[in-house]
């Protein structure tokens, strides 16, 4: 061992790695990084960042502020919002972790955010960029529209409810498709839901203009509301309208309200979000659907391999808000509902689970962003910061009703939607073909996978988004 | 428009960054000229909007790199009458003419002036590369503002923003007056909506031209209800595309897969995108990886027939692995406990006086040979293997692990691949990353995990035994044992890092204490061997409890019994784990045979 000690003292670029983790963990307040730290190659740095992030998240989960602080400091030497993918991810994760710790001091937290301008317009700009530069939303729209076209064949009045109405392109595309129908275009009504009036106004003018150009009878109903406050009963759907509902990355936010209600109903299981024992106690007192489902799926030998087997549908009753929302939608008797969701599990009660799942998911997203957006550097950064960074922050730093980004995998959505009375509509081969055509237009590395009539939009082989189609189904 | 010569790119690829540095001080620094060699004309690319169309490729041009500041410096030549500034003196002279001031244009020098080309100062930009330098200063300025600058000018009518004032002016003149017509016949009054529209329309229109529509409709009729059959082939083609793309993230497969294969793939030829595998790929990693391992087995058994050559391959592998890093030591830092044979041995070798590099290689190969023999028993082979892996093997592996061996050596690894790798490493070093592993987990990592469990049951004695084993293999070197301990100790410390995680909470109190102790200890080098051992034990038991409770989830469970058998003999070297994982499941009592 003597030799080693010597070597470590002469710590240099060549020698320390073996003891690296020792040092990092043993020396709190280590001021400046060792010189070789900066020499790390992308891969080494990336691996190291992952370790540090997980370690740090562990400390945060254990409310060990001191240690977490040390970890964050170390990461700060390596992470960067301008670096390679892992460096950028690390930057956003550390921010999120720091926010989480900060929330332990509400005063500090509020003070630091007291002058923050909530820039929803920035977010919308980022969303637009995401739409324009990445194929995900386009794919979702293309697939949705194809499904609508097929479901609405021969219909004379088509009503579409857009649960998050911010991008006219989807509906312009649909209008074009409809106007080319052999039987002629239908009367088209679009009910757009968005929390900002301006966005809806823009939608309305763009869509109206387009409908005029195409000579389609058209009507736009703007509903200024957050999805969670939406009164589905207030949606005016008249007899004879063939209804289609489009939800793109929206439904998961309703799970937050669930959490909230359950918490209020059972104060005993109150704030204890990050301690892991909870998940073990849970079978007795499941707090959220997500947890319960997680529990369920953990029992299955291979999670998600047979998603079609609803192991315990009764657990879905634990989801009053989501349940009632879906029931209300069901009550509108939609001919079609197309749901796009993030294909990832960010709704676990344990912080570590969420961190790990989020790491996986956003690693793939950042990778694909990096490879797809090679020119518009600032746009990419905006997307990363305003969209993904905010999502990561929400997943990690928030709890309870604040935590909106409760992405869940399709297998859970299938259970949930089936329980609400929806029947699955297989997405057609044609839809997939359209999607693939879109991808062939210069999007490398993306992939569409069909599984039991649902489509997964993948980056390389990693499914990132799921698209599934549903219809009103009477109980028989 | 000519094309960049590849040779000039080569020439300048290295120097451009240096130029950049110099230029932050110097205003203009001229550097050597682009050499004129085969300027093979390339296919003309469509210019993206906003991209300067002039890309100067005059082979004799002078390459000029300007700092952003210099580039954006407004107009150093000022007209004394109207204070208008000009970037070039010539322009000022021309301007002075309008004021009826005396003016004088520089005469053309007798010597022919060298053409100048300019680099974009943004390092991430394609025009940062000398081979894609732009032909005029205004062009590069505009390019820089458009692409990397702030868009200061906003059109009041349509809210579109511009970075270059002249763009904005030009737009303002036509905004609202001009219509954009898409090929599909749709008219747009605003450019942005036009572009948005084209995102859909272009793609679909173009593609339908290629695929006759009646085929589509036919397909939709035929397969509308029952599309599963076709889906498979679609997935396959997609995968083959993907593989040809040589994208780093195809590492997903490779890194998360059976460890044995993952090692070998470094040596594989890049071009084997066979994807018989694709058709059966379920979207979910676990099932996929089980298949991987099976492949890995076959592959190993092939090698078993020719142990010597396989050994050669392995030694080469260790070289390759050292490549991507500055020093093999730092590379191996992250290979701690990673079940690669070569890398671990290397780290041991490097951690001491490094005089036994060969020995290290030998040791790993020795173990490999052991394994080969063992595998040979089961393999009973019809296949003949050659040193650098025959084609059929290569094909099998590459289809499993993705086509990009070079990528794995490239400096930028995708974040996904990194996570996979981290998960793999974590599986051997600690319980820390188990949750990572759960999702990404491959059967081989499970195998490794059960390995660990056995290791615990064997206790530290197993390690000692291993050391002895090495001695019998004529690889007696204290440093081996020491290095082994180091890496094990490091495994411990990484647990400590990841500690406190939910999976670790099986009433394992000692763990937390351990953690604290370590944090208080400021001098890691003073940590005694005993400490390391203690930690090792903790590490192992954490890992153990972990696995027992959680980690067989969804992945092929391997029989631990056979591995236990192996461990008594081979555990002395961490790197043998990879083989243990395989050989163990094949249930031959391999270690005994070696002795």
């Amino acid at each position: 061992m003597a030799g080693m000690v010597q070597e470590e003292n002469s710590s240099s670029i060549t020698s320390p790695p073996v003891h690296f983790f020792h040092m990092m963990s043993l020396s709190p307040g280590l001021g400046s990084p060792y010189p070789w730290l900066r020499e790390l190659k992308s891969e080494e740095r990336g691996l190291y960042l992952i370790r540090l992030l997980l370690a740090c998240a562990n400390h945060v989960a254990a409310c060990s502020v001191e240690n977490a602080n040390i970890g964050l400091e170390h990461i700060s030497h390596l992470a960067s919002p301008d670096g390679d993918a892992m460096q950028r991810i690390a930057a956003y994760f550390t921010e999120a972790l720091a926010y989480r710790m900060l929330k332990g001091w509400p005063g500090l937290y509020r003070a630091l955010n007291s002058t923050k301008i909530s820039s929803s317009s920035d977010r919308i700009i980022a969303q637009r960029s995401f739409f324009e530069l990445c194929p995900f939303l386009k794919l979702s729209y293309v697939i949705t529209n194809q499904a609508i076209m097929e479901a609405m064949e021969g219909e004379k009045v088509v009503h579409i409810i857009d649960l998050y109405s911010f991008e006219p392109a989807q509906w312009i595309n649909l209008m074009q498709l409809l106007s080319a129908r052999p039987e002629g275009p239908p009367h088209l009504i679009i009910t757009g839901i968005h929390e900002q009036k301006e966005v809806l106004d823009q939608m309305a003018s763009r869509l109206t203009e387009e409908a005029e150009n195409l000579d389609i009878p058209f009507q736009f109903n703007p509903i200024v509301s957050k999805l969670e406050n939406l009164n589905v009963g207030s949606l005016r759907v008249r007899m004879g309208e063939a209804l289609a509902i489009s939800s793109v990355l929206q439904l998961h936010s309703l799970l937050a309200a669930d959490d909230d209600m359950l918490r209020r109903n059972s104060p005993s299981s109150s704030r204890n979000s990050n301690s892991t024992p909870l998940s073990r106690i849970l079978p007795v007192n499941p707090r959220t659907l997500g947890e319960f489902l997680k529990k369920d799926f953990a029992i299955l030998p291979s999670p998600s391999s047979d998603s079609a087997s609803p192991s315990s549908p009764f657990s879905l009753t634990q989801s009053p808000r989501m349940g009632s929302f879906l029931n209300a939608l069901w009550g509108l008797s939609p001919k079609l509902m197309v749901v796009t969701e993030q294909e990832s599990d960010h709704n676990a009660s344990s912080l570590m689970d969420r961190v790990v799942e989020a790491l996986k998911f956003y690693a793939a997203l950042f990778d694909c962003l990096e490879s797809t957006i090679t020119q518009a550097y600032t746009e990419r950064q905006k997307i990363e910061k305003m969209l993904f960074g905010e999502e990561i922050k929400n997943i990690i730093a928030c709890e309870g009703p604040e935590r909106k980004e409760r992405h869940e995998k399709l297998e859970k959505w299938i259970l949930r939607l089936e329980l609400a009375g929806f029947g699955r509509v297989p997405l057609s081969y044609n839809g997939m073909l359209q999607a693939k055509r879109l991808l062939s237009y210069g999007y490398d590395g993306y992939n569409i996978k069909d599984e039991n009539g649902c489509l997964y939009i993948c980056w390389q082989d990693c499914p990132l988004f799921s698209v599934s189609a549903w219809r009103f189904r009477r109980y028989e | 428009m000519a094309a960049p010569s590849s040779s000039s790119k080569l020439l300048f690829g290295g120097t451009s960054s240096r130029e950049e540095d110099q230029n932050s001080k110097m205003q203009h620094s001229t550097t050597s000229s682009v050499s004129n060699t085969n300027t093979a004309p390339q296919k003309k690319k469509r210019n993206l909007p906003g991209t300067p169309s002039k890309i100067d490729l005059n082979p004799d041009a002078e390459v000029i790199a300007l700092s952003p500041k210099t580039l954006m410096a407004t107009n150093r030549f000022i007209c004394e009458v109207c204070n208008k500034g000009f970037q070039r003196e010539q322009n000022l002279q021309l301007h002075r003419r309008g004021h009826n001031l005396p003016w004088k244009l520089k005469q053309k020098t007798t010597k022919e002036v060298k053409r100048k080309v300019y680099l974009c100062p943004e390092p991430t930009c394609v025009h940062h590369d000398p081979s894609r330098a732009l032909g005029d200063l205004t062009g590069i300025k505009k390019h820089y503002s458009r692409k990397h600058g702030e868009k200061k000018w906003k059109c009041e009518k349509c809210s579109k923003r511009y970075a270059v004032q002249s763009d904005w002016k030009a737009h303002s003149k036509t905004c609202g007056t001009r219509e954009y017509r898409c090929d599909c016949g749709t008219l747009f009054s605003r450019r942005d909506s036009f572009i948005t529209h084209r995102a859909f329309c272009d793609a679909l229109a173009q593609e339908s031209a290629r695929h006759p529509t009646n085929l589509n409709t036919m397909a939709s009729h035929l397969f509308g209800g029952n599309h599963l059959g076709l889906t498979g082939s679609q997935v396959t083609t997609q995968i083959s595309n993907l593989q040809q793309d040589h994208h780093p993230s195809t590492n997903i497969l490779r890194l998360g897969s059976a460890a044995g294969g993952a090692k070998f793939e470094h040596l594989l030829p890049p071009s084997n995108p066979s994807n018989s595998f694709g058709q059966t790929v379920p979207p979910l990693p676990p099932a996929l990886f089980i298949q991987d391992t099976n492949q890995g087995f076959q592959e190993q058994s092939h090698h078993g027939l020719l142990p010597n050559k396989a050994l050669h391959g392995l030694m080469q592998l260790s070289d390759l692995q050292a490549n991507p890093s500055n020093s093999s030591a730092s590379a191996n830092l992250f290979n701690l406990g990673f079940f690669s044979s070569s890398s671990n041995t290397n780290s041991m070798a490097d951690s001491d006086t490094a005089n036994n590099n060969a020995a290290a290689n030998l040791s790993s190969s020795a173990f490999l040979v052991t394994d080969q023999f063992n595998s040979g028993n089961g393999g009973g082979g019809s296949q003949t293997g050659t040193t650098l892996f025959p084609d059929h093997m290569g094909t099998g592996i590459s289809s499993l692990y993705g086509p990009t061996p070079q990528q794995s050596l490239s400096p930028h690894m995708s974040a996904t691949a990194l996570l996979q790798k981290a998960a793999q490493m974590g599986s051997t070093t600690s319980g820390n990353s188990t949750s990572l592993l759960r999702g990404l987990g491959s059967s081989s990592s499970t195998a490794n995990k059960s390995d660990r469990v056995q290791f615990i049951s064997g206790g530290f004695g197993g390690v000692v035994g291993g050391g002895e084993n090495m001695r019998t293999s004529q690889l007696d070197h204290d440093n081996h044992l020491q290095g082994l301990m180091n890496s094990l100790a490091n495994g411990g410390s990484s647990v400590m890092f990841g500690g406190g995680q939910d999976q670790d909470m099986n009433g394992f109190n000692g763990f937390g204490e351990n953690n604290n102790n370590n944090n208080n200890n400021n001098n890691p080098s003073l940590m005694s061997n005993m400490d390391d051992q203690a930690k090792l034990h903790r590490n192992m038991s954490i890992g153990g409890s972990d696995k027992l409770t959680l980690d067989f989830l969804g992945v092929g469970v391997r029989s631990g019994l056979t591995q236990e058998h192996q461990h008594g003999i081979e555990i002395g070297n961490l790197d043998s784990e990879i083989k243990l994982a395989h050989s163990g499941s094949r249930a031959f009592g391999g270690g005994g045979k070696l002795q």
Side-chain angles (χ1 to χ4, degrees), chain B residues 552-571:
Chain B
F552 288 117
L553 192 142
V555 225
V557 181
R558 301 209 175 277
S559 118
L561 288 173
T562 39
Q563 286 172 17
E564 188 173 28
H565 187 58
Q566 293 254 323
H567 266 293
I569 295 145
E570 288 192 331
I571 195 63

Side-chain angles (χ1 to χ4, degrees), chain A residues 232-300:
Chain A
V232 179
S234 73
L235 301 174
R236 286 162 299 167
V237 181
R238 283 168 289 252
M239 293 289 288
E241 294 175 354
L243 180 67
I245 299 168
S246 163
S247 166
V248 180
L249 310 180
Q250 291 309 308
L251 283 186
H252 61 256
S253 65
L254 292 169
L255 294 168
D258 277 353
D259 209 25
D260 188 29
M261 285 171 78
L262 282 162
R263 177 163 296 147
R264 261 184 261 145
N265 291 345
S266 58
S268 59
S269 64
S270 62
R271 274 197 75 82
N272 192 11
S273 42
N274 46 21
S275 71
T276 42
L278 209 64
S279 60
R280 317 244 163 179
I281 304 164
L282 264 171
V284 187
N285 181 18
R287 204 176 48 152
T288 70
L289 172 63
E291 280 167 351
F292 206 96
L293 284 179
K294 181 175 154 267
K295 171 81 180 42
D296 275 354
F297 281 90
I299 296 165
L300 294 175

